[in-house]
Amino acid sequence: MRRPIVAGNWKMHGSRATVSDLLAGIQEGMAVIRNVEVIVCPPFVYLDQAASLLSETPIALGGQNLCQVPGQGAYTGEISGDMLRDLGCGFVIVGHSERRNIYGESDDLVAAKAIVAHQAGLIPVFCVGELLEERESGETEKVVGRQLDALLETDEGLAAMQHSVIAYEPVWAIGTGKTATPEQAQEVHAFIRQRLAQASRDLAEKTRILYGGSVKPGNAAELFGMADIDGGLIGGASLKAADFLAICRAADS
Ligand code: PGA
């Protein structure tokens, strides 16, 4: 059985005050959540504050990005995986479509980040997903397959994948209110699992594949009910404690 995950990607939102309020609100509702791994990913500058507030709770912490270079060095503006570990992170999102599309992160760079995250002791949340025009031209599997292969095709990458979580996020569904139907999502999740099975059947069986893109309290249960959907990566709805908790409960089976 794959334990479901619900991860909140706060993106560039929050202040010291709202971080405290939001985390207090989430903690209040955690008592009834039994079998879901709950993760929050605040902006870098609030990770330390979040780590102190979460230290006695089951809620795990993740970064939203990391540098492809380990340790320390002359990389102005960057944050390393080792620094994220030092602050108490267990996870890090890599290759979010906003990183790929706004900041031009290539498949190779994303794969390098996943490898360095794994080597730093973090669990990468490896994001894949197609643009609207790619879906409309029937290229979803080609694009998602290529994004996965960038990590699967090297030994180091395969080692990182063994300890990763995958998030399938169709770019056209992110922040648009336009969710993939459960069937559309399931189809791609099954494709991803099949691709993993080409590398190893055990890897395919154990890897948790999250869906992301306009997940809300009203659609979460249906999505999480699909065979290959093991939870969600939540943007907008993770900024409201009540909505985030409702999504966590929907994943709790
Ligand atoms: P959304 O974002 O839930 O606001 O669509 C999801 C994501 O970008 O991870």
Side-chain angles (χ1 to χ4, degrees), residues 9 11 96 98 169 173-176 212-215 233-237:
N9 173 11
K11 308 191 180 181
H96 189 278
E98 286 149 18
E169 300 201 305
I174 295 178
T176 57
S214 299
V215 179
L233 180 56
I234 319 300

Side-chain angles (χ1 to χ4, degrees), residues 55-109:
S55 62
E56 306 289 315
T57 78
I59 302 167
L61 197 59
Q64 297 177 14
N65 182 28
L66 82 168
C67 182
Q68 74 276 22
V69 178
Q72 320 225 346
Y75 299 94
T76 302
E78 291 294 307
I79 305 287
S80 72
D82 302 277
M83 291 172 175
L84 294 177
R85 281 294 291 157
D86 190 36
L87 280 180
C89 288
F91 296 81
V92 62
I93 299 170
V94 295
H96 189 278
S97 66
E98 286 149 18
R99 300 297 319 171
R100 292 178 186 266
N101 298 318
I102 305 174
Y103 299 99
E105 294 193 6
S106 65
D107 293 338
D108 287 348
L109 179 61

Side-chain angles (χ1 to χ4, degrees), residues 13 15 17 48 106 131 182 189 237 243 250:
H13 292 286
S15 63
D48 200 26
S106 65
L131 299 166
H189 281 235
D243 286 359

Side-chain angles (χ1 to χ4, degrees), residues 128-130 135 140-141 144 166-170 172-173 178-193 209-215 219-220 222-232:
V128 296
E130 80 288 0
R135 170 160 287 261
T140 300
E141 294 191 354
V144 171
I166 294 176
Y168 167 58
E169 300 201 305
W172 46 273
K178 219 173 153 187
T179 324
T181 64
E183 293 73 23
Q184 276 175 324
Q186 166 60 26
E187 201 180 330
V188 183
H189 281 235
F191 165 77
I192 293 170
R193 210 175 290 291
I209 308 175
L210 315 183
Y211 169 78
S214 299
V215 179
N219 59 25
E222 242 194 329
L223 286 158
F224 300 162
M226 303 309 281
D228 290 296
I229 301 184
D230 307 310

